[in-house]
Amino acid sequence: MGGKNRYSLGKKVLVDSSALLNGKLFLDKKRGMKNTLAGKDVVSISNLSREEIELVLKAAGKMKSGSMPELLKGKILASCFFEPSTRTRLSFEAAMLRLGGSVIGFAEAGTTSARKGESLSDSMRVIGSYADIIVIRHPQEGSARLAAEATETPVINAGDGANQHPTQTLLDLFTIRECQGKIDDLHIALAGDLKYGRTIHSLSLALAHYPVRLYFVAPEILNLPDSITHELRKKGVKFSFHEKLEEVIPKVDILYMSRIQKERFPEQAEGFENTCKLKKGHLEKAKKNLKILHALPRVDEIETAIDATPFAHYFQQSANGVPVRMALLALILGKLDLA
Ligand code: CP
């Protein structure tokens, strides 16, 4: 198959002629911020340069502060969820509806022709002919890339197995900057299931674009995959490994907790009980401005008594899923004017 080269060349760049008339499309005149995301797939966070990440964050700020109810009128999002989701699916769908577009799709594979044995490639080729943009979540690692190779319609990865969750990362970065005023120079701990947690993988790789200090907290059996630590070392990121939350809490500005991904465990999950559960008492020595983030859903890794403290920021974080995904949809569909 011609693969990415063929499709990246062949992907249509969706330029609206009326938007072109105003001469502003794709360009931020102040900073020369070109919209290089138009027509692109977002399969991995590594597909995005730091400039493209910044473009999404800037566009998300615009979406959060204003309303553009007709921006994506006439556009169709195919929302294809082969694995359970609350936040990602509903925030993508809300984002499309808030911009005046329409949504088709499914929330479980059991209602689709995958049940009859249709391949993912065939399904995506067909769905790509019905929609202007596709969002896919699937339990198999690499499924989003396969989907992107099957259609010229832009594909966004909403989580592929234990691999990546790039749009969660964009909203995580947006939230970090919003609650701390910056990303550069922050001390950030990522804790919990570093092995199977796709949000951890994408966020670690994205943070490598910024001068930050990272602390990874997990028991040995749930530590970060070598492929990610290798990438961090290559980029000169400063990081260390820890087994106990208490070792890092006094030092950090952001504590990013994650759920144990039991559904992805081939082996018995044991030995992490005390390292991955955050209790209110742990926060006594925290910096005043510490913010706790979590992609959610939470099981029991953050004690609910923490929700009412000023440290808790995970519900604001999940709310940011809508403006960030609005920004991403509008940019990929070539409809956002940042000038
Ligand atoms: N954060 C996240 O991906 O949540 P959902 O699984 O509910 O989409």
Side-chain angles (χ1 to χ4, degrees):
M1 179 181 284
K4 282 315 299 172
N5 283 342
R6 180 162 78 82
Y7 289 111
S8 57
L9 288 173
K11 290 247 172 198
K12 53 189 170 167
V13 177
L14 302 163
V15 181
D16 176 86
S17 57
S18 62
L20 269 180
L21 283 177
N22 68 24
K24 290 177 178 172
L25 201 66
F26 305 146
L27 197 64
D28 179 332
K29 286 178 176 164
K30 275 191 202 133
R31 303 180 60 191
M33 226 178 199
K34 199 164 189 255
N35 180 8
T36 51
L37 289 174
K40 259 198 182 180
D41 303 312
V42 178
V43 164
S44 156
I45 197 67
S46 306
N47 294 148
L48 303 184
S49 63
R50 175 166 170 164
E51 290 70 30
E52 287 171 329
I53 290 173
E54 290 297 328
L55 176 70
V56 177
L57 303 191
K58 181 173 180 177
K62 267 192 174 299
M63 293 294 175
K64 195 161 178 178
S65 62
S67 127
M68 302 189 197
E70 305 243 315
L71 192 68
L72 297 186
K73 195 173 173 190
K75 298 295 179 194
I76 297 176
L77 164 69
S79 168
C80 304
F81 280 73
F82 294 87
E83 194 184 57
S85 169
T86 298
R87 278 146 291 274
T88 311
R89 182 172 72 83
L90 295 177
S91 62
F92 259 118
E93 296 183 5
M96 194 63 175
L97 296 173
R98 285 201 182 279
L99 292 173
S102 307
V103 178
I104 57 173
F106 50 87
E108 55 165 317
T111 61
T112 73
S113 287
R115 281 264 323 246
K116 303 175 199 159
E118 185 173 45
S119 71
L120 183 64
S121 289
D122 282 0
S123 297
M124 288 298 129
R125 190 168 172 175
V126 170
I127 292 167
S129 71
Y130 301 156
D132 299 293
I133 190 161
I134 297 171
V135 171
I136 178 172
R137 170 171 290 187
H138 196 285
Q140 292 294 321
E141 292 184 27
S143 53
R145 181 159 304 287
L146 192 70
E149 287 177 353
T151 175
E152 291 190 18
T153 299
V155 170
I156 301 175
N157 182 5
D160 61 327
N163 185 31
Q164 287 237 354
H165 194 348
T167 69
Q168 177 67 45
T169 293
L170 292 169
L171 80 90
D172 294 342
L173 293 174
F174 182 82
T175 307
I176 290 171
R177 182 169 285 158
E178 188 182 58
C179 68
Q180 294 290 5
K182 62 177 188 174
I183 300 173
D184 288 358
D185 303 324
L186 292 180
H187 286 231
I188 300 174
L190 297 99
D193 188 346
L194 310 183
K195 184 173 184 180
Y196 297 108
R198 57 194 175 196
T199 63
I200 299 281
H201 301 163
S202 299
L203 182 57
S204 304
L205 293 172
L207 286 170
H209 288 298
Y210 298 85
V212 291
R213 171 65 163 92
L214 301 181
Y215 303 82
F216 293 105
V217 188
E220 189 75 29
I221 57 160
L222 293 181
N223 234 325
L224 207 59
D226 289 344
S227 59
I228 309 233
T229 48
H230 177 73
E231 205 54 38
L232 297 180
R233 282 200 182 98
K234 222 167 76 180
K235 294 209 163 142
V237 180
K238 291 192 179 117
F239 63 92
S240 50
F241 293 106
H242 305 265
E243 294 224 1
K244 288 192 185 326
L245 285 167
E246 296 92 309
E247 291 171 25
V248 304
I249 284 175
K251 300 177 186 165
V252 298
D253 308 293
I254 295 285
L255 173 56
Y256 191 100
M257 295 295 296
S258 67
R259 177 178 68 87
I260 304 298
Q261 307 273 310
K262 275 192 180 151
E263 69 275 27
R264 307 201 196 281
F265 270 62
E267 67 261 52
Q268 187 72 22
E270 279 176 6
F272 51 82
E273 291 79 1
N274 297 323
T275 46
C276 296
K277 290 186 182 166
L278 183 64
K279 309 257 183 241
K280 203 171 173 186
H282 285 140
L283 299 171
E284 278 164 17
K285 293 187 181 159
K287 287 186 185 176
K288 257 195 170 149
N289 72 336
L290 168 73
K291 295 294 174 209
I292 301 163
L293 302 184
H294 190 309
L296 304 178
R298 160 177 59 184
V299 181
D300 56 1
E301 57 279 357
I302 301 177
E303 196 174 45
T304 52
I306 292 171
D307 297 0
T309 71
F311 302 118
H313 208 71
Y314 24 93
F315 290 110
Q316 293 94 323
Q317 177 188 4
S318 62
N320 281 334
V322 176
V324 171
R325 289 175 172 126
M326 286 166 78
L328 195 59
L329 291 172
L331 287 165
I332 293 175
L333 289 169
K335 290 286 188 176
L336 199 58
D337 179 2
L338 290 184

